[in-house]
Amino acid sequence: MEVTNELLIKLYTQLVRVRKLDEKMIECLFAGKLRTFFHSGQGQEAPGVALCAHLNDDDMVFYNHRSHGLNKCLPKGMPAKQILAEHFGRATGGGNGFAGFHYADLNLGLPGMGGMVAGELTLAAGAGIACQLRGKGQVVVSCFGDGATGRGPLHEGMLMAAAWKLPVIWFCENNLYAQWTRVNVTHPREDLSDLAQGYGIPAAIVDGQDVMAVYEAVGPAVERARSGKGPTFLEMKTYRFRPHAEGFPDFSVQTQGGMRPSTETEEWMRRDPVRLFKTSLMEKGVLTQDDVVRIDKEADDEMAEAERFSAESPWPDPKDFDKALYAD
């Protein structure tokens, strides 16, 4: 896909929208408006935004729990108000108010997320079989964090995808911490993409703070999957700026007796993906200060409208619960 100024501004706009919705989630949580908890993904916006820029509506994304999938669901096309309303527990939410933050929209290629880490990885392989059988060139992306790579479903899914050349992209957002445990405590190797070698799956390590680096890495993987050549493993090196979940003590902060050194956090925050890309585009003359102000305001207005919509939406009718639980 040609990199035009229009595309660059679109990517920046999506980064801002994802960051603003994440901030709105936290604001509403502490105001007592959310019926759920929230795992912020601030710092990890770039991987999902760049990924979705390559995908069609009928390509499927199995998102993971970090940020509750905001960096995939929002740029894939799910409206902010539909995402926020689900967290408010309202009938207009992406799970009809019954699912907490496990929203879904098959028309957008978002089949949803389970409650167990790595639970979707074998489902992604199964979806890959369905896409292969349809023969329409659809791609399936299985998103997961470093913690999920310690579970069996990843290896079951990768084995099947490799053996059958399924159109699946294994999309690892390695933010170094599975809740409060650093990846070097649980894994013998630093690069999780090494796992792909055993299955003969091509892999790449990507700077997850650089949205263009992610964009350039995803393109060949999507092309490979669409052309029937099989899976790719992409490892995003990224970082979450906030605690594992909002309101939880961040035991990973070293000053609180944990393992995450404040110098490490500060170093990664200097590579904020939103600020990095804004600076780059302004230096190249793609964005002006007026553009930045306008994009910020439009995103603020969108999130304020999503909050109003969510607060005014009806509660789900318990009688409809069976409709959400069982197929017709």
Side-chain angles (χ1 to χ4, degrees):
M1 187 182 295
E2 183 183 359
V3 178
T4 62
N5 285 355
E6 182 182 6
L7 173 64
L8 295 173
I9 293 173
K10 178 181 177 182
L11 289 171
Y12 175 70
T13 302
Q14 297 289 25
L15 289 175
V16 172
R17 291 177 72 226
V18 172
R19 175 66 60 86
K20 295 284 187 182
L21 182 53
D22 192 298
E23 292 172 346
K24 177 60 73 177
M25 289 286 184
I26 296 170
E27 175 191 326
C28 289
L29 176 72
F30 288 112
K33 297 178 179 178
L34 295 196
R35 299 287 162 172
T36 68
F37 41 28
F38 184 62
H39 304 82
S40 171
Q42 290 183 29
Q44 297 188 211
E45 292 86 355
V49 165
L51 166 70
C52 292
H54 282 284
L55 301 180
N56 302 323
D57 282 351
D58 63 351
D59 292 326
M60 301 175 72
V61 175
F62 288 85
Y63 61 90
N64 48 324
H65 83 275
R66 177 58 53 198
S67 87
H68 298 186
L70 301 187
N71 67 342
K72 291 98 181 176
C73 295
L74 198 59
K76 194 74 167 64
M78 182 173 280
K81 61 184 182 181
Q82 194 174 353
I83 296 172
L84 190 60
E86 188 60 36
H87 286 77
F88 273 57
R90 303 306 174 105
T92 53
N96 300 320
F98 292 123
F101 59 85
H102 302 268
Y103 20 77
D105 188 337
L106 291 177
N107 293 323
L108 295 173
L110 296 169
M113 180 188 70
M116 183 176 291
V117 170
E120 302 80 26
L121 300 180
T122 48
L123 298 181
I129 295 172
C131 291
Q132 189 180 64
L133 290 171
R134 290 190 192 109
K136 296 180 178 178
Q138 290 171 277
V139 173
V140 179
V141 185
S142 178
C143 304
F144 51 92
D146 43 282
T149 63
R151 298 206 61 234
L154 174 67
H155 303 278
E156 297 170 29
M158 286 205 299
L159 177 62
M160 179 171 283
W164 292 7
K165 294 189 181 302
L166 301 179
V168 179
I169 297 173
W170 304 103
F171 196 79
C172 177
E173 293 172 80
N174 180 2
N175 67 11
L176 305 182
Y177 291 88
Q179 294 194 350
W180 299 286
T181 304
R182 204 177 197 284
V183 67
N184 61 356
V185 175
T186 54
H187 290 66
R189 297 177 70 91
E190 182 179 348
D191 297 326
L192 301 178
S193 54
D194 288 351
L195 294 166
Q197 292 180 10
Y199 301 100
I201 296 175
I205 296 172
V206 186
D207 179 356
Q209 305 310 98
D210 181 345
V211 70
M212 291 312 298
V214 180
Y215 182 83
E216 290 168 5
V218 170
V222 169
E223 183 178 345
R224 175 179 165 81
R226 288 203 199 287
S227 61
K229 295 179 180 175
T232 301
F233 190 111
L234 298 177
E235 179 185 1
M236 307 293 125
K237 300 285 192 182
T238 188
Y239 203 78
R240 59 173 166 81
F241 292 167
R242 298 184 64 86
H244 166 64
E246 295 303 313
F248 283 32
D250 191 358
F251 292 120
S252 59
V253 174
Q254 198 171 39
T255 54
Q256 296 179 20
M259 298 176 60
R260 188 159 73 160
S262 57
T263 51
E264 177 185 280
T265 306
E266 290 164 3
E267 182 179 345
W268 279 91
M269 291 183 79
R270 280 195 286 273
R271 301 202 66 243
D272 181 322
V274 183
R275 189 171 62 245
L276 277 180
F277 198 46
K278 178 177 72 175
T279 301
S280 172
L281 295 185
M282 292 185 74
E283 288 176 350
K284 293 173 181 173
V286 176
L287 271 182
T288 65
Q289 184 59 38
D290 286 346
D291 292 329
V292 170
V293 171
R294 174 182 53 78
I295 291 168
D296 263 18
K297 183 178 185 309
E298 288 174 354
D300 283 334
D301 291 346
E302 179 185 9
M303 303 316 154
E305 169 59 19
E307 181 181 1
R308 184 204 62 76
F309 171 84
S310 300
E312 295 177 359
S313 290
W315 298 102
D317 188 333
K319 290 186 296 186
D320 292 333
F321 186 72
D322 282 355
K323 297 177 184 176
L325 191 61
Y326 301 107
D328 292 331

